[in-house]
Amino acid sequence: MSDMNTAMVEKYRNSFLSEVEANVEEGEWVKMCMQCGVCSGSCPFGPYWDHPPQELFMMIRAGKREAVLSSESMWMCTSCYNCIARCPRGLPITHIMHGLAHYAKRLGLAPKNQQTMKFASIFWDNLTKKGRVNELQLGLKLYFMNGFVEGIKTALCMKEMGMSMLMTKRMSPMEYFGGHSIKDTKGLHAILKKAREIEEAKAKQF
Amino acid sequence: MSDVIATNQTILVVGGGISGMTAALEAAECGKQVILLEKSPALGGRVSQLYRYFPKLCHPTCGLEINNRRIKGNKNLRIITMSEVASISGDAGNYSVKVKVSPRYITENCTACGECGKVVETEFDDDFNYGLGKRKGAYLQHAMAYPQRYVLDPAIIGTDDASKAREACKYDAIDLDMQEEEIDITVGAIIWATGWQPYDANKIQAYGYDRIDNVITSVEFERLCDPHGPTGGKILRPSDGAEAKNVAMIQCAGSRDINHLKHCSRICCMASLKHANYVNEKYGEEGQATIYYIDIRAIDRIDDFYRKVKELPNVTFTKSKVASVVENKENGNPVLHGVDTEGYHRYANEHDLVVLAIGMEPSVPADAFPVDVKFNEEGFIEADESNGAIFAAGCSSDALDVNRAVQNATASALRAIQVVNNVAGSEG
Ligand SMILES: Cc1cc2nc3c(=O)[nH]c(=O)nc-3n(C[C@H](O)[C@H](O)[C@H](O)COP(=O)(O)OP(=O)(O)OC[C@H]3O[C@@H](n4cnc5c(N)ncnc54)[C@H](O)[C@@H]3O)c2cc1C
Ligand code: SF4
Ligand code: SF4
């Protein structure tokens, strides 16, 4: 368990709802849920969730901290916004889902090997290196995300598309060696460093 | 209409539903002069369109019959049907009101014998039945209509049908030259009782009212169950006319929803309990009613009724706001999708017919109101001093059941009486 997690458990003890309200993006909306179920019924990924949004909100109120934060559920959200469009109470459900996922990751409670999380990390590392997404490297990383054998299989599957992209100049093989970049990568890195410092200072306050 | 006599000691009541009738009668029975305006050809409002009404499940004919008798016996009350308020000016104790009266084309000679209706051929969607059936171009709004006088649809004026109707009438009651009239009256106080209308179900996209034949609204369901309704009291589905025995009710259809009406319409839970009871009465064990709800709001006396309905073996309560309705193309059955709150089970339930427990909104929207008064967030008239002597009664003031609407109407009659009494006092 991370230090931050220990600190949070200490600070909020019996009120996971307050913890969510204070630390999760749009968390203060959770108490507005009236448990009607429209969000859960409207989610196209609904059948694959352990806990649909309505249930997650109830679990938060019931103080099921571990179960919520280590859940795969919020990582399933594809941001289709169906739930937000229909929620009779106007809860920004999509944002809360991402807020919960983010918070769980920060506390080190997100499930290990979570695919969405893995992809997000790969994407972030790829993007921040040069300020531009390197599609070739990103694609390859993604193929091999779950091991060498599966990577080869996926690569073979996608061969034709890759070739077409090369032919139509949508992707350059040279990207593999470095690739294009924004003008001021140093500046970008400085911005990101500063942002991280601010974020960490905030987390320390707990 | 030139014989309408009104003074600033007269009370004007706008809207002749159960609330307007009550307010007008209470005031008239206290000896006040009252004019009652009703937009449609007959009194009774939406209560007359119900099959039966809680708490005692009486037929509306009963409640209306009592009121009609009181009206007939009262000389202080003047009723003008097919009329609307065009404008209002002035202050408490002295309002000038312009009233627009549409032509009925049939005079007081009418005995409601119905001969004109027999010969006229053109048919129109019957708004009394929410468009579920047809009526002739010469018609009586419903069997209990007060006044018992036929009406000609303006669309047949100038056609053969109109002349046929005139020839068929043995009492010389048809006057095809009748024109729209405008009359000016002075009154001391105004009771506004134009009631409510069902929220537009087409706006609730996910429920498919506009696309799925077998998704109807609760007001339509009342008409289907009524023996005087378009199906003679049989619950027939719109798609194929088959009897619907497995009926679902979806609560809060348009109510308690920031995308539609924010308020709880208050009566629709009870209406659906009543509807589940209709299904049970009609089919017994063969029927099945399922109520999908967020929470059941059955107020005071109705709670007993809720308990009774809950005990019926063929009525099921599913705690869930339905997410969407799609049609099974093979049999026309609506399929309800959602997740229930008691266990979070995902369901896809098929029913013969779906009834949307539709919300109530004010029938005259704030921006169409003829004079400046205070409205609340939902568009109902707020009781406020700045309204002068304009008092809301019944569903113009809130979503109410008949019991509360009538209490509220009596209160507004008392307020109006105080105003005209003051006028009388100061004039000596
Ligand atoms: C599905 C359903 C079932 C219901 N069942 C029950 C029940 O079982 N028991 C119960 O107690 N309640 C029931 N209700 C509620 C009941 O319908 C209302 O309480 C009742 O209609 C209120 O009467 P009202 O006179 O205030 O309004 P309304 O009935 O709406 O009457 C208003 C009148 O004003 C007239 N009008 C409208 N605009 C104008 C205008 N501009 N100028 C002149 N006149 C105008 C209308 O034509 C109408 O006659 C039900 C409601 C629904 C939706
Ligand atoms: S749709 Fe909104 S109110 Fe209903 S359960 Fe989901 S979050 Fe709660
Ligand atoms: S009365 Fe019942 S169905 Fe109607 S809005 Fe209120 S809770 Fe919903």
Side-chain angles (χ1 to χ4, degrees):
Chain A
M1 262 197 212
S2 68
D3 292 349
M4 183 175 165
N5 186 38
T6 320
M8 288 301 191
V9 171
E10 193 55 34
K11 178 164 182 200
Y12 291 99
R13 285 188 184 273
N14 290 322
S15 180
F16 183 39
L17 177 63
S18 313
E19 181 179 346
V20 168
E21 285 176 343
N23 301 292
V24 172
E25 187 188 345
E26 306 281 11
E28 67 280 8
W29 276 94
V30 169
K31 62 174 173 294
M32 290 301 291
C33 170
M34 64 170 164
Q35 290 293 301
C36 72
V38 158
C39 52
S40 310
S42 303
C43 178
F45 273 83
Y48 306 102
W49 294 59
D50 295 337
H51 315 293
Q54 168 200 22
E55 190 182 3
L56 276 182
F57 298 154
M58 201 61 201
M59 288 165 75
I60 292 173
R61 275 144 75 164
K64 302 210 180 239
R65 187 173 187 276
E66 279 289 316
V68 170
L69 293 174
S70 60
S71 166
E72 290 265 354
S73 294
M74 53 271 194
W75 296 95
M76 298 289 295
C77 172
T78 57
S79 308
C80 76
Y81 283 79
N82 251 2
C83 55
I84 292 198
R86 286 187 190 159
C87 172
R89 284 286 178 96
L91 270 77
I93 304 160
T94 311
H95 307 281
I96 306 173
M97 288 304 116
H98 296 315
L100 282 171
H102 180 72
Y103 186 57
K105 164 114 171 53
R106 260 171 62 189
L107 297 182
L109 294 179
K112 303 284 165 288
N113 256 334
Q114 214 298 322
Q115 301 283 296
T116 312
M117 185 171 68
K118 261 200 206 168
F119 172 70
S121 301
I122 293 173
F123 185 89
W124 178 254
D125 292 344
N126 180 298
L127 172 71
T128 51
K129 216 181 265 168
K130 300 218 158 169
R132 291 268 186 263
V133 173
N134 185 316
E135 288 188 343
L136 185 60
Q137 285 184 9
L138 180 68
L140 289 173
K141 264 261 170 67
L142 193 59
Y143 293 174
F144 290 93
M145 187 169 86
N146 295 318
F148 186 71
V149 181
E150 203 182 305
I152 295 291
K153 268 196 216 153
T154 321
L156 284 175
C157 253
M158 303 298 283
K159 195 176 68 188
E160 267 190 38
M161 182 153 93
M163 290 310 283
S164 315
M165 283 177 78
L166 288 179
M167 302 277 283
T168 51
K169 299 210 167 103
R170 300 292 300 160
M171 194 166 64
S172 151
M174 295 315 285
E175 287 284 292
Y176 191 75
F177 313 99
H180 66 304
S181 127
I182 55 166
K183 275 185 199 141
D184 181 17
T185 35
K186 263 203 194 129
L188 173 71
H189 290 150
I191 294 171
L192 292 174
K193 186 162 167 270
K194 184 76 195 166
R196 188 171 290 271
E197 277 167 20
I198 296 173
E199 196 64 16
E200 275 165 6
K202 247 202 259 168
K204 271 213 191 86
Q205 290 169 6
F206 298 115
Chain B
M1 284 292 159
S2 49
D3 56 341
V4 178
I5 298 161
T7 70
N8 55 3
Q9 290 181 38
T10 303
I11 295 171
L12 176 70
V13 179
V14 187
I18 196 81
S19 307
M21 287 167 92
T22 303
L25 279 166
E26 299 288 2
E29 286 171 2
C30 287
K32 303 299 158 198
Q33 295 299 315
V34 179
I35 296 176
L36 172 58
L37 306 181
E38 167 55 47
K39 185 168 81 171
S40 76
L43 301 181
R46 306 232 175 234
V47 172
S48 58
Q49 290 165 284
L50 302 176
Y51 163 39
R52 288 157 68 190
Y53 67 123
F54 53 73
K56 292 196 275 179
L57 296 184
C58 331
H59 293 270
T61 37
C62 169
L64 292 176
E65 168 72 25
I66 297 169
N67 280 320
N68 292 350
R69 287 179 68 96
R70 286 167 76 189
I71 290 172
K72 278 180 206 156
N74 200 302
K75 290 193 218 69
N76 297 331
L77 178 55
R78 168 77 200 250
I79 291 166
I80 310 174
T81 51
M82 306 194 70
S83 66
E84 275 180 90
V85 168
S87 69
I88 298 177
S89 59
D91 298 301
N94 189 17
Y95 288 107
S96 303
V97 182
K98 265 195 195 327
V99 179
K100 193 189 89 184
V101 187
S102 305
R104 179 190 276 266
Y105 303 106
I106 294 189
T107 68
E108 271 140 20
N109 288 350
C110 173
T111 62
C113 69
E115 290 303 320
C116 55
K118 282 185 200 148
V119 296
V120 166
E121 278 163 30
T122 320
E123 292 195 324
F124 298 88
D125 281 345
D126 188 354
D127 354 314
F128 187 76
N129 287 325
Y130 296 99
L132 286 176
K134 298 276 181 198
R135 61 153 170 78
K136 290 285 190 70
Y139 65 103
L140 193 62
Q141 202 183 32
H142 57 103
M144 276 290 291
Y146 184 95
Q148 279 279 312
R149 244 210 280 171
Y150 269 61
V151 202
L152 295 195
D153 194 297
I156 69 162
I157 302 304
T159 69
D160 278 355
D161 261 349
S163 357
K164 272 196 239 162
R166 190 178 50 200
E167 278 150 32
C169 181
K170 287 186 227 126
Y171 304 95
D172 197 20
I174 296 186
D175 173 4
L176 297 177
D177 299 323
M178 242 185 225
Q179 297 294 327
E180 181 181 298
E181 275 184 70
E182 202 168 74
I183 48 178
D184 294 306
I185 50 177
T186 304
V187 297
I190 301 173
I191 295 175
W192 199 270
T194 53
W196 61 279
Q197 64 186 18
Y199 181 71
D200 179 4
N202 286 330
K203 290 189 190 156
I204 317 169
Q205 264 301 308
Y207 291 166
Y209 179 77
D210 58 344
R211 325 181 272 284
I212 306 172
D213 286 343
N214 296 327
V215 174
I216 64 169
T217 64
S218 48
V219 288
E220 292 166 347
F221 192 68
E222 291 282 346
R223 299 313 304 139
L224 288 187
C225 293
D226 190 343
H228 300 293
T231 53
K234 290 210 170 108
I235 307 175
L236 306 181
R237 341 199 276 175
S239 72
D240 51 11
E243 257 186 318
K245 294 190 174 166
N246 176 357
V247 183
M249 286 90 194
I250 299 183
Q251 296 315 108
C252 305
S255 304
R256 299 173 68 189
D257 191 330
I258 55 149
N259 303 307
H260 305 287
L261 304 171
K262 281 195 208 151
H263 60 271
C264 164
S265 294
R266 211 183 265 131
I267 55 88
C268 17
C269 276
M270 303 186 283
S272 289
L273 291 172
K274 181 174 69 164
H275 294 167
N277 200 52
Y278 291 167
V279 172
N280 180 57
E281 277 177 356
K282 291 236 186 275
Y283 301 121
E285 278 173 14
E286 273 183 53
Q288 173 66 45
T290 313
I291 299 182
Y292 294 85
Y293 69 103
I294 303 175
D295 35 50
I296 294 288
R297 298 187 165 174
I299 42 182
D300 51 60
R301 271 201 287 175
I302 303 297
D303 194 50
D304 295 339
F305 185 57
Y306 174 35
R307 281 168 213 220
K308 257 190 233 155
V309 174
K310 242 174 139 174
E311 268 163 30
L312 296 173
N314 51 351
V315 178
T316 313
F317 290 82
T318 301
K319 187 167 173 59
S320 165
K321 184 169 166 76
V322 173
S324 62
V325 183
V326 293
E327 187 178 34
N328 178 344
K329 297 276 182 222
E330 269 160 36
N331 53 15
N333 284 351
V335 184
L336 275 50
H337 291 271
V339 171
D340 75 33
T341 303
E342 293 168 323
Y344 307 104
H345 307 104
R346 192 162 293 277
Y347 59 81
N349 296 345
E350 207 164 309
H351 299 273
D352 298 341
L353 183 71
V354 168
V355 181
L356 305 180
I358 202 76
M360 295 161 91
E361 65 182 5
S363 69
V364 178
D367 54 17
F369 210 78
V371 66
D372 207 15
V373 295
K374 276 251 158 57
F375 292 95
N376 66 16
E377 210 189 344
E378 282 90 33
F380 294 105
I381 299 171
E382 194 95 78
D384 194 277
E385 287 208 358
S386 68
N387 293 351
I390 299 176
F391 307 107
C395 289
S396 292
S397 73
D398 209 343
L400 301 171
D401 60 4
V402 172
N403 182 11
R404 281 175 178 71
V406 166
Q407 282 178 21
N408 182 276
T410 306
S412 59
L414 287 171
R415 292 199 179 92
I417 288 171
Q418 286 173 21
V419 175
V420 296
N421 277 354
N422 276 342
V423 173
S426 61
E427 288 183 358

